[in-house]
Amino acid sequence: MATRDTHNLRSVLAVRGFRRLLGVRLSSQLADGLFQAALAGSVLFNPDKQTSAMAIAAGSALLVTPYSLIGPFVGVFLDRWSRRQLVVFTNLVRAALVLPAAYLISAGDNGVAFVVVAFAIIGLNRFLLAGLSAAVPHVVEDRRLVTANSLSGTLGSVCFSAGLGIAVVLINWLIAAGDSGYAAMALVAPIGYVASALLAWRSFRVSDLGPDHAGVPARAPMHSALGEVVRGLGDGLAHLASKRGAAYTMAAKAGFRALFGVLTLAMLLLYRNYFVTDDDVQDSITGLAFVVVAGSLGVMVAALVTPAVTRRIGGWRWVAGLIAGIAIALPLTVSSFTQPLLVVAVFCVNIAAQGTKIVVDTSIQHECDDDYRGRVFAVNDTTYNLSYVLGLFAAALTLPGDGHSPAAVFVVAAGFAVIAGWYAVVAGRWARRVGDDIAQPEPVPTPVG
């Protein structure tokens, strides 16, 4: 398997078109990491203003909600417009919008104008990433798509995290945390956006990345296509109702994400207001860097072990075990409220989060008919993000200002236990009824040579 994976990886990287498309993605996502770090810092870790739990929840939701609202409608435009042109103009528009965003950050203005501009920049990222994903089959042969998607997705995440890391370096050594510092950080992002646009413009012709219009019937008007998306989501829900294994797994993940949102806000409050006593946000940001590293390692571990484990014990048992394990691990690690154990907790929670996500995606692919699969994934994406936002605001309404709440830890742990128990019962019953296990993912080639 390792030899085959290495061969696939080398074959994909040998394709010049894929390398260039990968460069377009990586330069853009590096800039995304920088800009979103500046955006989050201006709201969450800013000594120039006091940050409430509700403000943190709103700021975090701002980074997530655009994906939920725009995601289902993206395909309508991707199937009508040149994807090369979309990539070029999306990057250029975002580069231009960063300028007023940086001005508003420097002025300490987090009002309506700031929200609209930030929402637009992050929302447009949905078009870019979806367009790049839709373009991959135009530069890679079909039998290499799994490797190509794995490589581009993983390296994209690495570059986004690298952007966050560059932000930490800038805050600690070159610029001061505060309105002017975060504005200066934001102004670095357009370099990556413009580089991505230029690379796409120079590397591909207008039609190179699709869509392919040859032989396609005349398109319905735009308003009809958008209405069809709304109806399609309803059809996806109706189809999902008959696919109980996938539906149960999605429901378990939605509950997990809501509790994950509570933990996320608690962690941000702890690093913002509890672990520091002199309002030194540099220390807070450095501490969060370890959290990001631990979370990334947890995701990698889950990606490595989940296929092998699920082939042995089944996807539904793995999900139930992961969630039950978090219910046990949280009181042992978080209740002491020390930074080293909190990092361990983040590592464990991210193993469970990513392992559950892999099984959910596979269960949808395994059970849902191909004609409905895209719509079910759109429903899954929306519930995934909105559940997280719901957890953020529930935490904002209940947690103390410094995030220190032993009671909340035990309540969240009890919530995970309830989800694990419920899911083990209903998913196990369904698996026995249909005589087939829920989601046993095949090994996915990893971008490691």
Side-chain angles (χ1 to χ4, degrees):
M1 177 62 68
T3 300
R4 187 174 69 184
D5 291 348
T6 301
H7 174 70
N8 286 338
L9 178 63
R10 290 175 177 170
S11 298
V12 166
L13 288 175
V15 179
R16 184 175 63 175
F18 175 75
R19 293 198 306 271
R20 292 181 173 181
L21 194 66
L22 185 63
V24 171
R25 182 185 188 118
L26 299 187
S27 55
S28 177
Q29 291 202 253
L30 181 67
D32 282 333
L34 269 168
F35 176 74
Q36 293 194 28
L39 185 66
S42 69
V43 176
L44 309 182
F45 299 99
N46 194 337
D48 295 333
K49 58 174 69 76
Q50 292 296 318
T51 305
S52 66
M54 187 57 69
I56 293 178
S60 301
L62 181 65
L63 302 179
V64 174
T65 305
Y67 294 91
S68 305
L69 300 179
I70 297 173
F73 299 92
V74 167
V76 175
F77 300 97
L78 292 179
D79 292 338
R80 291 170 175 266
W81 298 344
S82 163
R83 293 172 189 145
R84 182 263 210 175
Q85 298 298 85
L86 181 145
V87 169
V88 171
F89 287 112
T90 296
N91 272 314
L92 293 178
V93 169
R94 289 199 297 166
L97 288 175
V98 169
L99 301 179
Y103 170 78
L104 293 169
I105 291 173
S106 67
D109 184 353
N110 290 340
V112 175
F114 172 78
V115 172
V116 170
V117 173
F119 190 97
I121 294 172
I122 298 171
L124 285 171
N125 186 56
R126 183 67 181 187
F127 284 93
L128 178 74
L129 294 180
L132 291 174
S133 296
V136 170
H138 290 264
V139 295
V140 175
E141 57 184 334
D142 186 70
R143 62 195 180 101
R144 310 286 188 198
L145 283 177
V146 172
T147 302
N149 289 329
S150 175
L151 179 63
S152 59
T154 301
L155 292 183
S157 296
V158 168
C159 277
F160 181 84
S161 297
L164 298 177
I166 292 172
V168 173
V169 172
L170 291 175
I171 287 294
N172 279 290
W173 283 286
L174 295 178
I175 62 177
D179 290 330
S180 60
Y182 291 124
M185 184 190 302
L187 288 173
V188 181
I191 298 174
Y193 294 145
V194 172
S196 179
L198 290 176
L199 183 59
W201 179 65
R202 291 293 302 273
S203 300
F204 304 102
R205 296 188 302 270
V206 172
S207 60
D208 280 352
L209 303 180
D212 296 325
H213 296 306
V216 178
R219 283 169 164 70
M222 181 69 74
H223 65 85
S224 297
L226 294 175
E228 186 63 32
V229 172
V230 176
R231 291 188 293 273
L233 291 177
D235 292 341
L237 284 170
H239 180 73
L240 189 61
S242 65
K243 306 298 180 181
R244 298 288 183 84
Y248 289 147
T249 313
M250 283 175 57
K253 187 179 75 167
F256 186 103
R257 284 292 289 176
L259 296 175
F260 187 86
V262 175
L263 293 176
T264 298
L265 185 59
M267 179 193 67
L268 291 172
L269 289 172
L270 286 168
Y271 275 95
R272 179 64 175 84
N273 300 323
Y274 181 76
F275 291 137
V276 293
T277 57
D278 55 358
D279 204 31
D280 186 353
V281 295
Q282 259 109 354
D283 286 346
S284 297
I285 294 171
T286 301
L288 281 174
F290 289 100
V291 170
V292 171
V293 171
S296 299
L297 290 175
V299 168
M300 293 175 62
V301 169
L304 289 173
V305 304
T306 294
V309 174
T310 53
R311 285 197 302 272
R312 287 181 174 273
I313 67 174
W316 70 269
R317 292 187 181 91
W318 179 232
V319 170
L322 286 172
I323 300 176
I326 295 304
I328 297 171
L330 277 181
L332 298 178
T333 55
V334 179
S335 58
S336 62
F337 292 96
T338 60
Q339 292 190 54
L341 286 179
L342 184 60
V343 170
V344 173
V346 169
F347 173 75
C348 296
V349 169
N350 276 272
I351 291 176
Q354 183 67 12
T356 300
K357 183 182 184 303
I358 291 171
V359 174
V360 170
D361 290 349
T362 308
S363 68
I364 294 173
Q365 295 166 345
H366 176 67
E367 289 195 45
C368 296
D369 298 341
D370 186 62
D371 290 342
Y372 292 90
R373 197 171 292 152
R375 284 169 281 184
V376 173
F377 268 112
V379 172
N380 176 59
D381 184 63
T382 300
T383 57
Y384 180 83
N385 288 322
L386 293 185
S387 297
Y388 175 69
V389 171
L390 178 64
L392 289 174
F393 282 101
L397 293 171
T398 56
L399 289 176
D402 62 358
H404 183 266
S405 176
V409 174
F410 288 96
V411 169
V412 170
F416 280 121
V418 169
I419 293 171
W422 168 81
Y423 179 72
V425 171
V426 297
R429 183 187 301 151
W430 180 256
R432 289 188 293 271
R433 176 180 173 182
V434 300
D436 188 17
D437 185 37
I438 300 173
Q440 297 190 31
E442 292 299 316
V444 176
T446 54
V448 178

